[in-house]
Amino acid sequence: MSGFAGFSGFLVRRLLGAAVTLLAISVIIYVVFYAAPGNVAQITCGPRCSPAQVQQVAEQLRLDDPLYVRYWDFLQGIFVGHDYSTGTGTEHCAAPCLGISYQSDQQVTALITAKLPVTGSLALGAMVLWLLLGVGTGVLSAWRRGRVSERVLTAVTLAGTATPVFVIGLLLMIVVCGQLQWLPFPQYVNFADDPTQWAWNLLLPWLSLALIEAAKYARLTRSSMLETLADDHVRTFRAYGVGERSIIGKHALRGAVAPVIALNANDFGSMFGGAVLSETLFGLPGIGRELVHAVKVVDLPVVVGMVMVTGFFVVLANAVADVLYAVADRRVVLS
């Protein structure tokens, strides 16, 4: 009973910490972008607008209100929704409302919802592959330590860590899609429309990202397993005649689970923020490409909303990692 109470307290602390972190992120993001120099009303209206038209746009967007008032309205919109003036009437933006795009007059939440499945598909598939490739390579490298195969695997993982994703992605597209024609050039297909084509078209981006990330997991798994294999209790198991496969599978691999969980959660959350390069390279219409476009046209509500969503996934992924870490190692609960 005391163990359950301890874990419940740990869970509450992590949730409260995540909530405070998200609030701090929202304040920083909003102040940084909306306090930046530049006439947002002029940019939104266009270069040919008269001063009167620019002033009308500023009033419609409430840009003359103090920054703290606009932030409070933004925060209210997330929890209870918000009403926006369209010039001819009023539009209600239901919670969670992240604002209205200056350029398209669409709700930012709707824009993000439309792009999220693309980035989510890219991150989820790549994560599965980098765990399989990375952990598998790390286990094999630790098992074959001191042999030629282990040195080859170590060299490959080092090369993977040092290679940028756009280099591997470009090479794979040229060779696999262009010359060999084993895979189609990537284009996003909705999972509900055709699951097979969805996976087939995303396989190349998944491989490109997984080959980069798998190198880190291979090195982490290998070092964690070698550390566990050097412990006294493992030597005792060997002295009692326990097989090497059993030692690696039941004991050494268990010691590598916790650090892999922590690293994976961080990488998965960061994928939503780091998808700009991969989505641009492969032409995938996800959050990354939309964010680049919003920055180019200075569409601040879209920029703030997408950065907020990215921060949310990073914080959520790390909170989940903390919980899984505590489940794998109950000593974390007492720390």
Side-chain angles (χ1 to χ4, degrees):
M1 191 68 179
S2 59
F4 177 76
F7 186 79
S8 299
F10 168 82
L11 191 59
V12 170
R13 291 196 304 272
R14 288 298 181 267
L15 290 176
L16 288 176
V20 172
T21 303
L22 284 173
L23 181 62
I25 288 173
S26 71
V27 173
I28 294 171
I29 290 172
Y30 200 89
V31 170
V32 166
F33 283 106
Y34 280 97
N39 193 333
V40 177
Q42 180 69 65
I43 296 171
T44 304
C45 187
R48 298 182 180 181
C49 288
S50 65
Q53 290 173 316
V54 172
Q55 182 59 32
Q56 183 180 0
V57 171
E59 292 175 358
Q60 181 181 335
L61 299 176
R62 301 180 63 183
L63 296 176
D64 294 330
D65 290 347
L67 187 62
Y68 69 88
V69 173
R70 284 184 282 158
Y71 172 73
W72 179 249
D73 289 340
F74 173 75
L75 207 59
Q76 282 185 313
I78 294 177
F79 293 101
V80 299
H82 202 283
D83 291 329
Y84 288 89
S85 172
T86 61
T88 58
T90 302
E91 177 183 349
H92 179 69
C93 180
C97 178
L98 295 172
I100 304 293
S101 169
Y102 290 163
Q103 300 296 323
S104 64
D105 291 329
Q106 288 182 276
Q107 296 184 12
V108 176
T109 307
L111 284 172
I112 294 175
T113 303
K115 305 296 182 181
L116 195 58
V118 182
T119 305
S121 298
L122 184 64
L124 186 62
M127 182 192 72
V128 172
L129 280 182
W130 78 49
L131 283 175
L132 291 174
L133 292 173
V135 175
T137 302
V139 170
L140 184 60
S141 181
W143 186 20
R144 308 287 292 181
R145 61 192 181 280
R147 303 182 185 181
V148 175
S149 56
E150 188 263 343
R151 295 191 181 94
V152 172
L153 290 173
T154 301
V156 170
T157 55
L158 286 173
T161 305
T163 308
V165 64
F166 67 87
V167 173
I168 288 184
L170 191 58
L171 286 175
L172 286 177
M173 279 199 293
I174 292 173
V175 176
V176 178
C177 299
Q179 296 181 352
L180 300 177
Q181 296 184 356
W182 288 349
L183 291 172
F185 285 97
Q187 58 180 346
Y188 184 73
V189 177
N190 196 308
F191 178 82
D193 295 336
D194 192 334
T196 303
Q197 287 301 315
W198 168 82
W200 191 242
N201 277 273
L202 287 175
L203 184 57
L204 187 70
W206 288 344
L207 282 172
S208 301
L209 292 169
L211 289 174
I212 298 293
E213 297 295 330
K216 295 190 298 185
Y217 290 88
R219 296 179 66 187
L220 179 62
T221 304
R222 176 182 178 276
S223 60
S224 299
M225 289 187 64
L226 289 178
E227 184 179 348
T228 304
L229 288 171
D231 289 345
D232 292 336
H233 71 279
V234 173
R235 296 174 184 170
T236 303
F237 289 142
R238 289 198 179 103
Y240 278 99
V242 178
E244 193 69 15
R245 291 186 179 183
S246 179
I247 290 174
I248 288 178
K250 294 182 179 179
H251 303 283
L253 185 57
R254 187 180 302 172
V257 168
V260 166
I261 288 175
L263 179 62
N264 183 64
N266 182 64
D267 286 342
F268 182 75
S270 299
M271 274 291 296
F272 285 87
V276 174
L277 185 59
S278 53
E279 289 178 0
T280 302
L281 174 64
F282 297 111
L284 299 174
I287 288 179
R289 284 186 65 189
E290 186 65 28
L291 181 58
V292 170
H293 174 71
V295 170
K296 286 181 179 179
V297 299
V298 200
D299 198 345
L300 290 183
V302 177
V303 174
V304 170
M306 289 195 167
V307 175
M308 276 284 296
V309 169
T310 299
F312 168 78
F313 278 108
V314 172
V315 173
L316 177 64
N318 280 277
V320 171
D322 287 341
V323 174
L324 294 176
Y325 203 116
V327 171
D329 187 354
R330 286 305 180 99
R331 292 173 298 178
V332 175
V333 177
L334 302 177
S335 61

